[in-house]
Amino acid sequence: MRKNVWSARIVPLALAAVFVGGLSATTAAPAQARTATKASAQTSAQASARVTDAYYLRFNKGSVTNSRLELVKRTPGRDKVIKTYKAGSGQVKNTCAVGKGWLPNAGASKPYAVQWHRKNFDGIINGFVIKISDRKCHNGTKRTELFIHSEMKPNGKQGTIESERWTNSGPNDYYSNGCIKLNPTNIKDLFKRLDRVGWPKKMYVVN
């Protein structure tokens, strides 16, 4: 996930800071795993928009800092792209690199599951967060703690530390520890649209 992050397992590891392009990227940690577990439980009790198969997400990989996340509507014939957002994923293109590789592909036969979403997530990543399912890469390495997220405080506002402050300093803010990263304006727009039309069950990842 990230220079920021993304199932619920507790392992006694210390946080490790990774520096990319002069900005720090924090790897997955027990604290986040505990928070993710709590968030998953709380989400089921919270009111949320309906889930629908009428829409899905599709991540088109270009480069680790310049790819595209699309909101797509199923329509007769060819599906319609409703909105496209610039997105980053990982720090390298090796899909088996835990904590730094971009996401493994996922086609029609086995898409990622969109598991839950929160607007006030409080962990190593914060605020507007979408959890997607784990995935094995081509050599069998399991990629876990995968999210769609940005850089913000738990309340969705901008903070002062790097992981909570989007600066648009070249491509640097789009680097992640293997998740999908949007800028704050775009992830809030995505939430607004999905709250209105319904939350998709699936996400596809293609080159």
Side-chain angles (χ1 to χ4, degrees):
M1 298 166 312
R2 160 142 178 49
K3 213 181 87 161
N4 301 305
V5 218
W6 309 55
S7 270
R9 69 183 191 281
I10 299 176
V11 282
L13 299 177
L15 295 180
V18 181
F19 289 88
V20 179
L23 299 177
S24 63
T26 310
T27 58
Q32 185 190 349
R34 289 193 296 271
T35 307
T37 305
K38 181 180 179 181
S40 182
Q42 289 177 340
T43 300
S44 62
Q46 292 180 342
S48 61
R50 62 189 174 88
V51 176
T52 178
D53 256 333
Y55 294 83
Y56 59 88
L57 298 175
R58 181 169 61 205
F59 185 59
N60 274 297
K61 297 190 290 188
S63 72
V64 294
T65 59
N66 191 9
S67 296
R68 297 292 181 267
L69 180 67
E70 300 170 333
L71 171 59
V72 186
K73 182 178 181 180
R74 300 184 190 278
T75 57
R78 188 172 184 176
D79 293 347
K80 181 179 180 181
V81 176
I82 303 300
K83 184 70 176 182
T84 299
Y85 306 97
K86 180 180 178 180
S89 180
Q91 303 161 29
V92 297
K93 292 184 177 182
N94 180 1
T95 59
C96 298
V98 175
K100 64 191 307 184
W102 66 1
L103 293 181
N105 284 7
S109 62
K110 193 177 180 181
Y112 288 86
V114 178
Q115 296 181 319
W116 52 261
H117 59 278
R118 291 280 301 277
K119 293 181 180 179
N120 59 349
F121 192 82
D122 188 358
I124 296 175
I125 55 172
N126 295 318
F128 287 67
V129 172
I130 301 169
K131 178 67 175 69
I132 59 176
S133 56
D134 299 341
R135 174 69 43 148
K136 290 183 179 180
C137 71
H138 61 86
N139 71 10
T141 299
K142 190 174 183 179
R143 300 287 306 279
T144 64
E145 297 178 324
L146 304 176
F147 301 85
I148 302 171
H149 66 101
S150 186
E151 292 184 349
M152 60 182 66
K153 297 168 66 176
N155 62 8
K157 296 182 179 180
Q158 289 291 283
T160 56
I161 63 174
E162 197 285 317
S163 63
E164 296 179 350
R165 179 172 59 91
W166 191 276
T167 60
N168 281 321
S169 54
N172 292 332
D173 283 329
Y174 283 100
Y175 283 113
S176 76
N177 284 348
C179 299
I180 295 175
K181 183 97 82 65
L182 304 178
N183 73 35
T185 299
N186 283 345
I187 198 168
K188 289 177 180 179
D189 181 81
L190 176 61
F191 267 70
K192 182 178 179 180
R193 291 173 183 272
L194 295 181
D195 282 343
R196 183 174 66 248
V197 303
W199 279 80
K201 299 177 181 179
K202 301 172 182 177
M203 185 184 77
Y204 304 93
V205 176
V206 299
N207 283 101

Short mmCIF file of all heavy atoms in Angstrom, two decimals, residues 1 5-17 26-39 121-125 144-145 147 177:
data_model
loop_
_atom_site.label_atom_id
_atom_site.label_comp_id
_atom_site.label_asym_id
_atom_site.label_seq_id
_atom_site.Cartn_x
_atom_site.Cartn_y
_atom_site.Cartn_z
N MET A 1 0.82 -1.17 0.00
CA MET A 1 0.00 0.00 0.00
C MET A 1 0.87 1.24 0.00
O MET A 1 1.67 1.48 -0.82
CB MET A 1 -0.82 0.12 1.23
CG MET A 1 -1.77 -0.91 1.44
SD MET A 1 -2.41 -0.97 2.98
CE MET A 1 -1.04 -0.87 3.91
N VAL A 5 -0.89 2.49 3.12
CA VAL A 5 -1.01 1.09 3.33
C VAL A 5 -2.24 0.34 2.83
O VAL A 5 -3.28 0.79 2.99
CB VAL A 5 -1.09 0.71 4.78
CG1 VAL A 5 -0.37 -0.47 4.92
CG2 VAL A 5 -0.58 1.69 5.72
N TRP A 6 -2.27 -1.19 3.14
CA TRP A 6 -3.49 -1.92 3.13
C TRP A 6 -3.19 -3.36 3.49
O TRP A 6 -2.40 -3.93 2.99
CB TRP A 6 -4.16 -1.95 1.83
CG TRP A 6 -4.40 -0.71 1.14
CD1 TRP A 6 -3.54 0.21 0.79
CD2 TRP A 6 -5.63 -0.27 0.71
NE1 TRP A 6 -4.14 1.17 0.19
CE2 TRP A 6 -5.41 0.93 0.14
CE3 TRP A 6 -6.95 -0.79 0.77
CZ2 TRP A 6 -6.36 1.61 -0.42
CZ3 TRP A 6 -7.86 -0.08 0.21
CH2 TRP A 6 -7.57 1.12 -0.38
N SER A 7 -5.07 -9.06 6.69
CA SER A 7 -6.32 -8.84 6.69
C SER A 7 -6.19 -8.84 8.08
O SER A 7 -5.22 -8.43 8.57
CB SER A 7 -6.36 -9.92 5.76
OG SER A 7 -6.26 -9.57 4.60
N ALA A 8 -6.59 -9.15 8.51
CA ALA A 8 -6.61 -8.83 9.92
C ALA A 8 -5.75 -9.86 10.61
O ALA A 8 -6.21 -10.86 11.08
CB ALA A 8 -8.03 -8.87 10.45
N ARG A 9 -4.45 -9.64 10.67
CA ARG A 9 -3.57 -10.55 11.38
C ARG A 9 -2.68 -9.72 12.27
O ARG A 9 -2.35 -8.60 11.93
CB ARG A 9 -2.75 -11.37 10.38
CG ARG A 9 -1.72 -10.55 9.62
CD ARG A 9 -1.01 -11.46 8.60
NE ARG A 9 0.15 -10.76 8.05
CZ ARG A 9 0.06 -9.85 7.11
NH1 ARG A 9 -1.11 -9.52 6.62
NH2 ARG A 9 1.16 -9.25 6.65
N ILE A 10 -2.31 -10.27 13.42
CA ILE A 10 -1.49 -9.52 14.36
C ILE A 10 -0.11 -10.17 14.40
O ILE A 10 0.03 -11.32 14.71
CB ILE A 10 -2.13 -9.54 15.76
CG1 ILE A 10 -3.52 -8.88 15.68
CG2 ILE A 10 -1.24 -8.83 16.76
CD1 ILE A 10 -4.28 -8.92 16.97
N VAL A 11 0.89 -9.46 14.04
CA VAL A 11 2.26 -9.96 14.04
C VAL A 11 3.14 -8.99 14.77
O VAL A 11 3.03 -7.79 14.60
CB VAL A 11 2.77 -10.16 12.59
CG1 VAL A 11 2.22 -11.41 11.97
CG2 VAL A 11 2.43 -8.94 11.74
N PRO A 12 4.03 -9.51 15.59
CA PRO A 12 4.86 -8.63 16.43
C PRO A 12 6.03 -8.05 15.68
O PRO A 12 7.17 -8.42 15.90
CB PRO A 12 5.33 -9.58 17.53
CG PRO A 12 5.38 -10.91 16.86
CD PRO A 12 4.25 -10.93 15.85
N LEU A 13 5.74 -7.17 14.74
CA LEU A 13 6.78 -6.51 13.97
C LEU A 13 6.78 -5.03 14.27
O LEU A 13 5.72 -4.45 14.45
CB LEU A 13 6.56 -6.73 12.46
CG LEU A 13 6.59 -8.18 11.97
CD1 LEU A 13 6.27 -8.22 10.49
CD2 LEU A 13 7.95 -8.80 12.24
N ALA A 14 7.91 -4.42 14.22
CA ALA A 14 7.98 -2.97 14.38
C ALA A 14 7.73 -2.31 13.05
O ALA A 14 7.93 -2.92 12.02
CB ALA A 14 9.36 -2.59 14.91
N LEU A 15 7.25 -1.07 13.07
CA LEU A 15 7.04 -0.32 11.85
C LEU A 15 8.37 -0.02 11.20
O LEU A 15 9.34 0.29 11.87
CB LEU A 15 6.31 1.01 12.15
CG LEU A 15 4.89 0.87 12.69
CD1 LEU A 15 4.33 2.26 12.94
CD2 LEU A 15 4.04 0.12 11.70
N ALA A 16 8.40 -0.10 9.88
CA ALA A 16 9.63 0.24 9.15
C ALA A 16 9.32 1.36 8.20
O ALA A 16 8.33 1.31 7.49
CB ALA A 16 10.14 -0.98 8.38
N ALA A 17 10.14 2.38 8.17
CA ALA A 17 9.91 3.51 7.27
C ALA A 17 10.71 3.31 6.01
O ALA A 17 11.87 2.93 6.05
CB ALA A 17 10.34 4.80 7.96
N THR A 26 5.28 4.11 4.71
CA THR A 26 5.22 3.24 5.87
C THR A 26 4.62 1.91 5.51
O THR A 26 3.58 1.85 4.91
CB THR A 26 4.38 3.89 6.98
OG1 THR A 26 4.84 5.23 7.16
CG2 THR A 26 4.49 3.11 8.27
N THR A 27 5.27 0.83 5.91
CA THR A 27 4.79 -0.50 5.55
C THR A 27 3.69 -0.94 6.49
O THR A 27 3.44 -0.34 7.52
CB THR A 27 5.95 -1.52 5.62
OG1 THR A 27 6.49 -1.50 6.93
CG2 THR A 27 7.02 -1.18 4.62
N ALA A 28 3.02 -2.07 6.11
CA ALA A 28 1.92 -2.59 6.92
C ALA A 28 2.43 -2.98 8.28
O ALA A 28 3.53 -3.46 8.43
CB ALA A 28 1.31 -3.80 6.22
N ALA A 29 1.59 -2.80 9.30
CA ALA A 29 2.04 -3.04 10.66
C ALA A 29 0.93 -3.61 11.50
O ALA A 29 -0.23 -3.55 11.14
CB ALA A 29 2.51 -1.72 11.27
N PRO A 30 1.28 -4.21 12.65
CA PRO A 30 0.26 -4.78 13.52
C PRO A 30 -0.81 -3.78 13.91
O PRO A 30 -1.98 -4.12 13.99
CB PRO A 30 1.07 -5.23 14.74
CG PRO A 30 2.45 -5.44 14.23
CD PRO A 30 2.63 -4.41 13.14
N ALA A 31 -0.41 -2.54 14.16
CA ALA A 31 -1.39 -1.53 14.57
C ALA A 31 -2.45 -1.35 13.52
O ALA A 31 -3.63 -1.22 13.81
CB ALA A 31 -0.69 -0.20 14.84
N GLN A 32 -2.02 -1.36 12.25
CA GLN A 32 -2.99 -1.20 11.19
C GLN A 32 -3.87 -2.43 11.07
O GLN A 32 -5.06 -2.35 10.82
CB GLN A 32 -2.31 -0.95 9.86
CG GLN A 32 -3.36 -0.66 8.79
CD GLN A 32 -2.80 -0.62 7.43
OE1 GLN A 32 -1.59 -0.62 7.27
NE2 GLN A 32 -3.64 -0.60 6.43
N ALA A 33 -3.26 -3.61 11.24
CA ALA A 33 -4.04 -4.84 11.15
C ALA A 33 -5.14 -4.84 12.21
O ALA A 33 -6.27 -5.23 11.95
CB ALA A 33 -3.13 -6.05 11.33
N ARG A 34 -4.78 -4.40 13.44
CA ARG A 34 -5.80 -4.34 14.49
C ARG A 34 -6.88 -3.34 14.15
O ARG A 34 -8.06 -3.57 14.34
CB ARG A 34 -5.12 -3.96 15.82
CG ARG A 34 -4.26 -5.07 16.39
CD ARG A 34 -3.88 -4.75 17.83
NE ARG A 34 -3.06 -3.57 17.95
CZ ARG A 34 -1.72 -3.58 17.89
NH1 ARG A 34 -1.09 -4.72 17.69
NH2 ARG A 34 -1.04 -2.46 18.02
N THR A 35 -6.45 -2.16 13.60
CA THR A 35 -7.42 -1.14 13.23
C THR A 35 -8.32 -1.64 12.11
O THR A 35 -9.52 -1.39 12.10
CB THR A 35 -6.69 0.14 12.78
OG1 THR A 35 -5.78 0.52 13.79
CG2 THR A 35 -7.68 1.27 12.53
N ALA A 36 -7.72 -2.36 11.14
CA ALA A 36 -8.50 -2.87 10.02
C ALA A 36 -9.56 -3.86 10.52
O ALA A 36 -10.69 -3.87 10.04
CB ALA A 36 -7.59 -3.54 9.00
N THR A 37 -9.19 -4.71 11.49
CA THR A 37 -10.15 -5.65 12.04
C THR A 37 -11.30 -4.93 12.71
O THR A 37 -12.47 -5.25 12.50
CB THR A 37 -9.45 -6.55 13.09
OG1 THR A 37 -8.33 -7.18 12.48
CG2 THR A 37 -10.41 -7.61 13.60
N LYS A 38 -10.98 -3.93 13.49
CA LYS A 38 -12.00 -3.14 14.18
C LYS A 38 -12.88 -2.42 13.18
O LYS A 38 -14.11 -2.39 13.31
CB LYS A 38 -11.32 -2.14 15.11
CG LYS A 38 -12.30 -1.28 15.90
CD LYS A 38 -11.54 -0.33 16.81
CE LYS A 38 -12.51 0.56 17.59
NZ LYS A 38 -11.77 1.52 18.45
N ALA A 39 -12.24 -1.86 12.15
CA ALA A 39 -13.00 -1.12 11.14
C ALA A 39 -13.96 -2.04 10.41
O ALA A 39 -15.10 -1.68 10.13
CB ALA A 39 -12.04 -0.46 10.14
N PHE A 121 -11.55 6.37 8.61
CA PHE A 121 -10.60 5.33 9.01
C PHE A 121 -9.45 5.96 9.78
O PHE A 121 -8.93 7.01 9.42
CB PHE A 121 -10.06 4.61 7.77
CG PHE A 121 -9.30 3.35 8.07
CD1 PHE A 121 -9.97 2.16 8.30
CD2 PHE A 121 -7.92 3.36 8.12
CE1 PHE A 121 -9.27 0.99 8.56
CE2 PHE A 121 -7.21 2.19 8.39
CZ PHE A 121 -7.89 1.01 8.61
N ASP A 122 -9.05 5.29 10.86
CA ASP A 122 -7.98 5.82 11.71
C ASP A 122 -6.93 4.75 11.91
O ASP A 122 -7.08 3.85 12.73
CB ASP A 122 -8.56 6.27 13.05
CG ASP A 122 -7.54 7.01 13.91
OD1 ASP A 122 -6.38 7.13 13.48
OD2 ASP A 122 -7.92 7.46 15.01
N GLY A 123 -5.87 4.81 11.12
CA GLY A 123 -4.79 3.83 11.21
C GLY A 123 -3.51 4.45 10.68
O GLY A 123 -3.27 5.63 10.86
N ILE A 124 -2.69 3.67 10.02
CA ILE A 124 -1.52 4.23 9.36
C ILE A 124 -1.95 4.99 8.12
O ILE A 124 -1.33 5.96 7.70
CB ILE A 124 -0.50 3.13 9.04
CG1 ILE A 124 0.01 2.52 10.34
CG2 ILE A 124 0.66 3.68 8.23
CD1 ILE A 124 0.93 1.35 10.16
N ILE A 125 -3.02 4.52 7.49
CA ILE A 125 -3.70 5.31 6.47
C ILE A 125 -4.98 5.82 7.11
O ILE A 125 -5.52 5.20 8.02
CB ILE A 125 -3.99 4.50 5.20
CG1 ILE A 125 -4.78 3.23 5.55
CG2 ILE A 125 -2.70 4.18 4.46
CD1 ILE A 125 -5.26 2.48 4.34
N THR A 144 -1.38 -8.81 0.85
CA THR A 144 -2.46 -8.54 1.80
C THR A 144 -2.49 -7.06 2.16
O THR A 144 -1.63 -6.29 1.76
CB THR A 144 -2.27 -9.37 3.08
OG1 THR A 144 -1.06 -8.95 3.73
CG2 THR A 144 -2.19 -10.86 2.77
N GLU A 145 -3.48 -6.69 2.95
CA GLU A 145 -3.67 -5.32 3.43
C GLU A 145 -3.64 -4.34 2.25
O GLU A 145 -2.84 -3.40 2.19
CB GLU A 145 -2.62 -4.98 4.48
CG GLU A 145 -2.75 -5.85 5.71
CD GLU A 145 -1.70 -5.58 6.77
OE1 GLU A 145 -0.55 -5.28 6.41
OE2 GLU A 145 -2.04 -5.67 7.95
N PHE A 147 -5.58 -1.59 -0.14
CA PHE A 147 -6.59 -0.55 0.01
C PHE A 147 -6.56 0.42 -1.17
O PHE A 147 -5.58 0.51 -1.90
CB PHE A 147 -6.34 0.27 1.28
CG PHE A 147 -6.35 -0.52 2.56
CD1 PHE A 147 -5.20 -1.17 3.00
CD2 PHE A 147 -7.50 -0.60 3.33
CE1 PHE A 147 -5.21 -1.89 4.18
CE2 PHE A 147 -7.51 -1.32 4.52
CZ PHE A 147 -6.36 -1.97 4.95
N ASN A 177 2.69 1.78 -0.79
CA ASN A 177 3.26 0.49 -0.41
C ASN A 177 2.49 -0.66 -1.06
O ASN A 177 2.36 -1.73 -0.46
CB ASN A 177 3.26 0.33 1.11
CG ASN A 177 4.35 1.16 1.76
OD1 ASN A 177 5.23 1.68 1.07
ND2 ASN A 177 4.30 1.32 3.07
#
